[in-house]
Amino acid sequence: MEKKGSKKQHLGQVIPGPTNPMVTPMLTDQYQFTMAYVYWKAGKHQERAVFDLYFRKNPFGGEYTVFAGLEECVRFISNYKLSEEDIDYIKKNLSVSCEDGFLDYLRGIDCSDVEVYAIPEGSVVFPKVPLMRVEGPIAVVQLLETPFVNLINFASLVSTNAARHRFVAGKSKTLLEFGLRRAQGPDGGVSASKYCYIGGFDATSNVAAGRLFGIPLRGTHSHAFVSSYMSLNDIKNKSLRKKNSSSKCEDFVGLVQKWLKKIQLSKSLRGIFAETNQSELAAFTSYALAFPENFLALVDTYDVMRSGIPNFCAVALALNDLRYKAVGIRLDSGDLAYLSCEVRKCFCSIEKEFGVSGFGKMCITASNDLNEETLDALNKQGHEVDAYGIGTNVVTCYTQAALGVVFKLVEINNQPRIKLSEDFSKVTIPCKKRIYRLYGKEGYPLVDIMTGDNEPSPKEGEKILCRHPFQESKRAFVVPQRVEELLRCYCSGQSDKKGETLPPLKDIRERCIKQLEQMRRDHMRILNPTPYKVSVSGKLYDFIHFLWLNEAPVGELR
Amino acid sequence: MEKKGSKKQHLGQVIPGPTNPMVTPMLTDQYQFTMAYVYWKAGKHQERAVFDLYFRKNPFGGEYTVFAGLEECVRFISNYKLSEEDIDYIKKNLSVSCEDGFLDYLRGIDCSDVEVYAIPEGSVVFPKVPLMRVEGPIAVVQLLETPFVNLINFASLVSTNAARHRFVAGKSKTLLEFGLRRAQGPDGGVSASKYCYIGGFDATSNVAAGRLFGIPLRGTHSHAFVSSYMSLNDIKNKSLRKKNSSSKCEDFVGLVQKWLKKIQLSKSLRGIFAETNQSELAAFTSYALAFPENFLALVDTYDVMRSGIPNFCAVALALNDLRYKAVGIRLDSGDLAYLSCEVRKCFCSIEKEFGVSGFGKMCITASNDLNEETLDALNKQGHEVDAYGIGTNVVTCYTQAALGVVFKLVEINNQPRIKLSEDFSKVTIPCKKRIYRLYGKEGYPLVDIMTGDNEPSPKEGEKILCRHPFQESKRAFVVPQRVEELLRCYCSGQSDKKGETLPPLKDIRERCIKQLEQMRRDHMRILNPTPYKVSVSGKLYDFIHFLWLNEAPVGELR
């Protein structure tokens, strides 16, 4: 067979390197190199191995997971190459004086003989089902284990977390990811921005992520900005041009002050407002002078209802005089449900009293340690929040900081392999497999089924037996209305298969959103969701249990 | 004053860029650029601001934190420069057509006018105390907020987590960090390796981190390695040279088989062992042939006591015949306390029965989802583990995935600033401050005290009043036996101060270990530790409360 480079297989698509330049062949565990050396010494390094990458349990107490991180894996292996410095370091750190032949072998590794099959990125996936099947020379595929698992674990965890936040928030709300500062390191932040977007967030505060991935950016100002102003005297240039006009208001500050007085004296709001904080008023005014078209203020530096809101309204009404529409406010502390309702009431009163159409509908953004639970509580209590800024909880996956993705040998030299364990759930499913998703009449996915690679595929309208891989009594006949084969070829190695092209981020995001919508609601709910069924064919079931008995040592009762 | 570049101030030390090339000026929140534009429009951008970086609560339910991440911050600002592509992107993303003067201003920013004072990296630190004080033009220092907080948050969290694991494991155990695959992204893994080492770990499995930071590497083989062998027939080259000799054993495989039979027939162990797994035996033998000086085997792929241990012992005894000493075993599942004791017994019996000196003392490594709690449980139960491999829990900080480091404005144009909050604990401590650690007679630190920048420093042997910053009744006189000023200058900006040089990683690690040992034990214990006291001077106390009253709006009871 003619040798083909991995890049060629992607229809001429040139695959760039991983987003983070730190993702190199050295980003792996020492034991992968140790094992490579043993395989090489034993002459086993070229043996063809098949590994499955999968997880055992859905995160966050849920019953689904979003698969993400595939593109980074493909980029990684498409550009795999150990440098001379890498090889020197490996040589120095193997605890033997290793032979030069091994170093030459390492020099030659480029992953062009590795095949990668995977479920498309952004798909909804389930435990035990291989998300990726990686085939190639055993020594090479082992070297890929650590980076692949690293790249998939966090990506899938964050996408799932984002999807769960979206589910609770509802489709109509805007979800902003604000987590960079609390993320686990620089690309903990950058990759969280990317994978939150895939999971259904709308925008990020992270400039690096915005640029790298084309995610919309959001951000206005902080508390420090507010307290950096002392008084209105800080504002030197007070003039502001009227929107779409050459006429100018020479004293915008005066206009703001006039409005503040009006508000304070207004009948409908009388008594709500005491004297407002002048630093805050200056900060808001200054912000509006710089961004008259995009005035959005953080209103809780001193006191939301006594200071932040009247100051905001004064500036917004002054802007309105010049034909600018303020965007809204952000709340970052306190009782968000209560405050958002109070703020909405106030905006509506002002709309009515001063005849400013649209004022009541201004955007209320809430932030401050939001998570699934607080979003759910807000919904139950009733609130007027339009947009959520979510940081720590979504980017660090605070309620569950890791997903247990593993990478297991299932076949070598066409011999199926099994890993046993005293812990039942850790037994691996042997054999090179195919995976199908079977859909029911209503269009919902019913069950995923794994079969041996050479079994005939399930057919639409034809009855098929689906068995639980380990529990004898759990089995069911299914007549699928639609059959979807899940694993697709992303790197074709030296085979003749045509590799999938890598879709743009927005397509991955759309796939994710669409697949989530397609799921039966009982799999998605927060409280006691129904597990989605994952099964094996009857033939695969029999083989697993044959192999299991074969490998397990026979004990002795004493 | 003569302008000095930040690099010059470091005694000619050239400061390299951040470890992760993704740490650029773009790794910040969009609102930092938005605010910079407002400041610039208002002519406020050059106003001299002072920000404190601190956290409010120790992580993991403990009463101490290890400060880490400083070097990366210094590297970052010492090489700060926006590229033309950066500036184009910022321009495109500000929601106004921003003026060219602002873009020129951005072009000129190089942080040479920023001063950074910090507690040395690796120090034990406490809530509310500034870990860093950053002074400079407000627009510039705001741009640094997000990257600084990002770089300190996770670094300090992981170092603290590692230190806590070390505390529970005890000084005599070896701690190995095995977390790369479960880490939050590539440099979640790499930085976790670094900061675990600072916190007291001994080695890592992460090759990239080993190379970048000079951390010792560890790693042998995986379960897949074991199951990749079918039988002893897989081994082609069976010869092994005797240690330090030219003589060779031509059939090492035969020697292993001979020993396996001896063990199975041995009186003292009779009945423990059934037939062992032949894949496993082949894998161990193959490993020993490649690494005769460093044979360490993972013994739980099939069954620890029935297969893994007898197979290991057979190979280890065969190696012993050739004068090689096996290193030991790793357990990765099951009841680690029980299994480690059984394994130790078995090793000791073999030492005795076959007269192999040192066999009983071989290293037992345990892994599998270890954390503080399981280490503590192992200690209570009694075990024979010598080394722990810890992954997920230490690198993702699973029990608390984020530290709440914040960055707050405390002074602008020499005017102290305060941020109020309905949440008491979120009120900031205003003023540019100095921090001292006061030590008592026994050499323990007693209390940290913050004073205004111009107050006289506390003196050894002189009584000083230490007040709780917010609670009136909490105050105490202290007569320090030693006074240590905590904040040191790391970037001197345009001042004449001499900046500290950045210490090598091992010095940071030593500082950390030494400081932890110096703490009073009751601050360190796992259950109900005593809080360490953090205070302010009488003068600073009065000033905080004066400013507070001044800024808070006066309400109206209705």
Side-chain angles (χ1 to χ4, degrees):
Chain A
M1 195 181 292
E2 193 195 16
K3 182 170 161 93
K4 297 172 189 175
S6 62
K7 278 162 205 166
K8 223 170 132 193
Q9 289 156 39
H10 285 273
L11 311 165
Q13 197 188 9
V14 174
I15 315 266
T19 301
N20 186 343
M22 291 173 85
V23 180
T24 76
M26 301 299 268
L27 192 78
T28 196
D29 287 308
Q30 169 71 357
Y31 78 3
Q32 313 292 10
F33 287 114
T34 311
M35 288 190 279
Y37 184 65
V38 181
Y39 289 137
W40 181 83
K41 277 283 282 183
K44 265 178 77 76
H45 56 296
Q46 298 288 18
E47 289 182 5
R48 196 90 187 154
V50 181
F51 282 79
D52 281 352
L53 182 148
Y54 62 98
F55 60 92
R56 299 189 185 108
K57 202 173 177 311
N58 289 302
F60 312 117
E63 290 296 348
Y64 65 96
T65 297
V66 174
F67 172 51
L70 175 61
E71 178 179 333
E72 294 294 331
C73 292
V74 174
R75 285 180 177 214
F76 172 62
I77 81 158
S78 302
N79 294 275
Y80 194 100
K81 191 81 196 142
L82 286 154
S83 70
E84 280 308 308
E85 296 74 44
D86 293 343
I87 289 170
D88 280 352
Y89 182 75
I90 294 161
K91 181 181 168 188
K92 214 179 67 192
N93 275 279
L94 279 185
S95 53
V96 282
S97 47
C98 77
E99 296 170 36
D100 286 346
F102 176 63
L103 305 178
D104 286 339
Y105 168 64
L106 291 179
R107 256 174 216 113
I109 295 176
D110 66 358
C111 293
S112 62
D113 43 7
V114 175
E115 291 169 59
V116 176
Y117 299 81
I119 300 179
E121 187 160 2
S123 298
V124 176
V125 293
F126 305 97
K128 297 193 286 277
V129 174
L131 310 175
M132 295 170 72
R133 190 181 78 208
V134 185
E135 308 176 31
I138 186 160
V140 176
V141 180
Q142 287 263 235
L143 290 171
L144 302 176
E145 172 179 24
T146 314
F148 275 16
V149 172
N150 176 283
L151 291 168
I152 297 297
N153 247 327
F154 184 56
S156 299
L157 188 70
V158 174
S159 297
T160 309
N161 201 15
R164 295 180 61 87
H165 281 78
R166 166 58 73 196
F167 185 81
V168 185
K171 273 194 210 177
S172 66
K173 302 298 174 190
T174 300
L175 290 186
L176 314 171
E177 176 271 310
F178 281 176
L180 177 56
R181 63 187 62 194
R182 299 286 171 86
Q184 297 202 351
D187 82 354
V190 171
S191 56
S193 301
K194 173 177 174 182
Y195 296 113
C196 280
Y197 189 63
I198 287 180
F201 272 53
D202 298 296
T204 179
S205 66
N206 181 337
V207 181
R211 181 164 64 169
L212 273 168
F213 310 117
I215 305 171
L217 283 180
R218 286 295 184 85
T220 54
H221 69 81
S222 68
H223 293 118
F225 173 79
V226 174
S227 49
S228 78
Y229 286 78
M230 301 296 289
S231 77
L232 288 168
N233 296 331
D234 286 8
I235 299 173
K236 302 296 176 296
N237 184 349
K238 302 176 178 188
S239 71
L240 182 60
R241 194 185 307 275
K242 211 175 201 175
K243 191 176 176 181
N244 304 323
S245 149
S246 59
S247 82
K248 226 179 190 178
C249 163
E250 290 301 336
D251 184 12
F252 184 70
V253 172
L255 186 61
V256 167
Q257 285 174 305
K258 200 189 77 188
W259 271 111
L260 185 61
K261 274 208 194 89
K262 271 202 201 176
I263 294 169
Q264 284 167 327
L265 295 172
S266 99
K267 279 228 173 82
S268 59
L269 301 173
R270 196 184 186 80
I272 294 188
F273 304 132
E275 206 175 309
T276 66
N277 185 291
Q278 292 299 293
S279 308
E280 186 177 59
L281 184 62
F284 290 179
T285 306
S286 190
Y287 194 92
L289 283 164
F291 294 106
E293 311 240 27
N294 203 31
F295 177 54
L296 197 152
L298 175 62
V299 292
D300 68 339
T301 305
Y302 299 100
D303 187 306
V304 174
M305 295 311 295
R306 285 185 193 141
S307 184
I309 289 298
N311 280 337
F312 168 80
C313 291
V315 177
L317 288 164
L319 282 173
N320 182 66
D321 282 353
L322 307 181
R323 306 282 177 267
Y324 295 105
K325 274 196 185 315
V327 175
I329 57 128
R330 176 159 72 96
L331 296 167
D332 190 41
S333 60
D335 181 335
L336 300 173
Y338 168 79
L339 286 172
S340 67
C341 293
E342 288 299 300
V343 169
R344 182 70 70 208
K345 262 191 257 170
C346 175
F347 287 171
C348 290
S349 304
I350 287 177
E351 168 157 359
K352 215 169 154 192
E353 181 167 355
F354 301 107
V356 186
S357 121
F359 208 92
K361 289 207 171 58
M362 272 189 305
C363 181
I364 300 178
T365 302
S367 51
N368 190 26
D369 260 343
L370 297 176
N371 58 23
E372 267 190 77
E373 219 176 317
T374 48
L375 295 185
D376 192 44
L378 280 168
N379 287 342
K380 282 175 180 150
Q381 214 177 323
H383 64 86
E384 286 288 342
V385 176
D386 304 297
Y388 297 106
I390 309 182
T392 313
N393 290 290
V394 74
V395 306
T396 68
C397 299
Y398 201 82
T399 51
Q400 183 182 327
L403 181 65
V405 165
V406 295
F407 191 77
K408 296 291 176 187
L409 179 72
V410 293
E411 197 170 294
I412 185 161
N413 287 335
N414 300 312
Q415 297 291 324
R417 302 303 284 150
I418 193 169
K419 184 208 161 256
L420 304 183
S421 174
E422 293 183 30
D423 179 354
F424 206 66
S425 70
K426 286 191 168 181
V427 174
T428 61
I429 298 177
C431 304
K432 177 169 169 176
K433 297 178 284 291
R434 289 173 182 263
I435 327 286
Y436 304 90
R437 184 158 293 174
L438 309 184
Y439 291 80
K441 274 182 213 149
E442 289 85 5
Y444 297 126
L446 290 179
V447 61
D448 285 3
I449 184 168
M450 301 178 241
T451 73
D453 189 43
N454 296 319
E455 288 185 57
S457 71
K459 304 258 173 323
E460 289 172 18
E462 277 183 25
K463 192 168 77 168
I464 180 166
L465 180 66
C466 297
R467 299 199 64 162
H468 187 287
F470 305 122
Q471 286 174 265
E472 204 177 0
S473 63
K474 287 195 175 176
R475 52 202 177 148
F477 283 110
V478 174
V479 181
Q481 296 302 300
R482 185 157 78 83
V483 174
E484 183 189 15
E485 180 157 12
L486 295 185
L487 290 176
R488 300 189 192 167
C489 178
Y490 284 86
C491 300
S492 53
Q494 317 218 345
S495 77
D496 285 330
K497 295 192 189 84
K498 205 176 106 181
E500 299 278 327
T501 47
L502 295 171
L505 184 63
K506 66 169 185 29
D507 291 6
I508 298 173
R509 182 172 186 266
E510 275 163 27
R511 162 178 284 272
C512 174
I513 293 170
K514 202 177 144 201
Q515 289 227 337
L516 289 165
E517 278 172 5
Q518 228 176 22
M519 292 298 297
R520 230 173 49 207
R521 292 297 89 177
D522 59 322
H523 300 308
M524 311 296 288
R525 68 184 173 222
I526 303 284
L527 199 66
N528 297 330
T530 315
Y532 179 84
K533 286 188 180 54
V534 168
S535 66
V536 296
S537 66
K539 207 168 156 189
L540 184 54
Y541 179 91
D542 292 339
F543 188 73
I544 295 169
H545 292 265
F546 160 76
L547 210 61
W548 193 335
L549 283 177
N550 217 35
E551 293 283 356
V554 182
E556 210 182 311
L557 283 180
R558 288 186 302 151
Chain B
M1 195 182 292
E2 195 197 13
K3 182 168 160 95
K4 298 172 188 173
S6 60
K7 280 163 203 167
K8 223 171 132 192
Q9 290 156 40
H10 286 274
L11 312 166
Q13 198 188 8
V14 174
I15 315 268
T19 301
N20 186 343
M22 293 175 85
V23 180
T24 76
M26 301 299 268
L27 191 79
T28 196
D29 287 308
Q30 168 73 355
Y31 78 1
Q32 313 291 11
F33 287 113
T34 311
M35 288 190 278
Y37 184 65
V38 181
Y39 290 138
W40 180 84
K41 279 282 284 182
K44 264 177 76 76
H45 55 297
Q46 298 288 18
E47 289 182 5
R48 195 88 187 158
V50 181
F51 282 78
D52 281 351
L53 182 148
Y54 62 98
F55 60 92
R56 299 190 185 108
K57 204 173 175 311
N58 289 302
F60 311 117
E63 290 296 347
Y64 65 96
T65 297
V66 174
F67 172 51
L70 176 61
E71 177 179 334
E72 294 294 330
C73 292
V74 174
R75 287 179 176 215
F76 172 61
I77 81 158
S78 302
N79 294 275
Y80 193 100
K81 191 81 196 144
L82 286 154
S83 72
E84 280 308 309
E85 296 73 45
D86 294 342
I87 290 170
D88 281 352
Y89 182 76
I90 294 161
K91 181 182 168 189
K92 215 178 68 192
N93 275 280
L94 280 185
S95 53
V96 283
S97 47
C98 76
E99 296 169 36
D100 286 345
F102 175 63
L103 304 178
D104 286 339
Y105 168 65
L106 290 180
R107 256 174 215 114
I109 295 176
D110 66 358
C111 293
S112 63
D113 42 8
V114 175
E115 290 169 58
V116 176
Y117 299 82
I119 299 178
E121 187 160 2
S123 299
V124 176
V125 293
F126 305 97
K128 297 194 284 280
V129 173
L131 310 175
M132 294 170 74
R133 189 180 79 208
V134 185
E135 308 176 30
I138 186 159
V140 176
V141 179
Q142 288 262 237
L143 290 171
L144 303 176
E145 173 180 22
T146 314
F148 275 16
V149 172
N150 176 282
L151 291 168
I152 298 297
N153 247 327
F154 183 55
S156 299
L157 188 71
V158 175
S159 298
T160 309
N161 201 15
R164 295 180 62 87
H165 281 77
R166 166 58 73 196
F167 185 81
V168 185
K171 273 194 211 177
S172 66
K173 302 298 174 190
T174 299
L175 290 186
L176 314 170
E177 176 271 310
F178 282 176
L180 176 57
R181 62 188 62 196
R182 299 287 171 85
Q184 297 203 349
D187 81 353
V190 172
S191 56
S193 301
K194 174 178 174 180
Y195 296 115
C196 280
Y197 189 62
I198 288 181
F201 272 53
D202 298 296
T204 179
S205 66
N206 181 337
V207 181
R211 182 164 62 168
L212 273 167
F213 309 118
I215 305 171
L217 283 179
R218 287 295 184 86
T220 53
H221 69 81
S222 67
H223 293 118
F225 173 79
V226 173
S227 50
S228 79
Y229 285 78
M230 300 297 289
S231 76
L232 287 168
N233 297 331
D234 285 8
I235 299 173
K236 303 293 176 299
N237 185 349
K238 304 178 178 188
S239 71
L240 182 60
R241 194 186 307 274
K242 211 174 201 176
K243 191 176 176 183
N244 303 325
S245 149
S246 59
S247 80
K248 228 179 191 179
C249 163
E250 289 301 336
D251 184 13
F252 184 70
V253 173
L255 186 61
V256 168
Q257 284 173 306
K258 197 190 80 190
W259 271 111
L260 185 60
K261 273 207 196 94
K262 272 200 199 175
I263 294 169
Q264 283 166 327
L265 296 173
S266 100
K267 281 224 173 85
S268 60
L269 300 171
R270 195 180 185 85
I272 295 188
F273 305 130
E275 206 174 307
T276 66
N277 186 291
Q278 293 299 294
S279 308
E280 187 177 58
L281 185 63
F284 290 179
T285 306
S286 190
Y287 194 92
L289 283 165
F291 294 106
E293 312 238 27
N294 203 29
F295 176 54
L296 198 152
L298 175 63
V299 292
D300 68 339
T301 305
Y302 299 100
D303 186 306
V304 174
M305 295 312 294
R306 285 187 194 138
S307 183
I309 289 298
N311 280 337
F312 168 80
C313 291
V315 177
L317 287 164
L319 282 174
N320 182 67
D321 283 351
L322 307 182
R323 306 281 177 268
Y324 296 103
K325 274 196 184 317
V327 175
I329 59 127
R330 177 159 73 95
L331 296 167
D332 190 41
S333 60
D335 181 334
L336 300 173
Y338 169 79
L339 286 173
S340 67
C341 294
E342 288 299 299
V343 170
R344 182 71 69 207
K345 260 191 260 173
C346 174
F347 287 171
C348 290
S349 305
I350 287 177
E351 169 159 357
K352 214 170 153 191
E353 182 167 354
F354 300 108
V356 186
S357 122
F359 208 92
K361 288 206 171 59
M362 273 190 303
C363 181
I364 300 177
T365 301
S367 51
N368 189 26
D369 261 342
L370 297 176
N371 59 22
E372 266 189 77
E373 220 175 317
T374 47
L375 295 185
D376 192 45
L378 280 169
N379 287 341
K380 282 175 181 150
Q381 214 177 322
H383 65 86
E384 287 289 340
V385 176
D386 303 297
Y388 296 107
I390 309 182
T392 314
N393 290 289
V394 73
V395 306
T396 68
C397 298
Y398 202 82
T399 51
Q400 182 182 328
L403 180 65
V405 165
V406 294
F407 192 76
K408 296 292 175 187
L409 180 71
V410 294
E411 196 170 295
I412 185 161
N413 287 334
N414 300 312
Q415 298 290 323
R417 302 302 284 150
I418 193 168
K419 185 209 161 256
L420 304 182
S421 174
E422 294 183 30
D423 179 354
F424 206 68
S425 70
K426 285 192 168 181
V427 174
T428 61
I429 298 177
C431 303
K432 177 168 167 175
K433 296 178 284 290
R434 289 174 182 261
I435 327 285
Y436 303 91
R437 183 157 294 175
L438 309 184
Y439 291 80
K441 275 183 213 150
E442 288 85 5
Y444 296 126
L446 290 179
V447 62
D448 285 3
I449 183 168
M450 300 179 240
T451 72
D453 190 42
N454 295 319
E455 288 186 57
S457 72
K459 304 261 174 323
E460 289 172 18
E462 276 182 27
K463 192 167 76 170
I464 181 167
L465 180 67
C466 297
R467 300 200 63 164
H468 186 288
F470 304 121
Q471 286 174 266
E472 204 177 359
S473 63
K474 288 196 176 174
R475 52 203 177 148
F477 283 110
V478 174
V479 181
Q481 296 303 302
R482 186 156 79 82
V483 174
E484 183 189 14
E485 181 157 12
L486 295 185
L487 290 176
R488 301 189 191 168
C489 179
Y490 284 87
C491 299
S492 53
Q494 318 218 344
S495 78
D496 286 328
K497 294 189 190 88
K498 206 176 105 181
E500 300 277 328
T501 47
L502 295 172
L505 184 62
K506 67 169 186 27
D507 291 6
I508 298 173
R509 182 171 186 266
E510 274 163 29
R511 162 178 285 273
C512 174
I513 293 171
K514 202 177 143 200
Q515 289 226 339
L516 289 165
E517 278 173 7
Q518 227 174 24
M519 292 297 297
R520 231 172 48 205
R521 293 296 91 177
D522 59 321
H523 299 309
M524 312 296 288
R525 68 183 172 222
I526 303 285
L527 199 65
N528 298 328
T530 315
Y532 179 83
K533 285 188 180 54
V534 167
S535 66
V536 297
S537 67
K539 208 169 156 188
L540 183 55
Y541 178 89
D542 292 340
F543 187 73
I544 295 169
H545 293 264
F546 160 77
L547 209 64
W548 193 335
L549 283 178
N550 216 35
E551 292 283 356
V554 182
E556 211 183 310
L557 284 179
R558 290 185 303 148

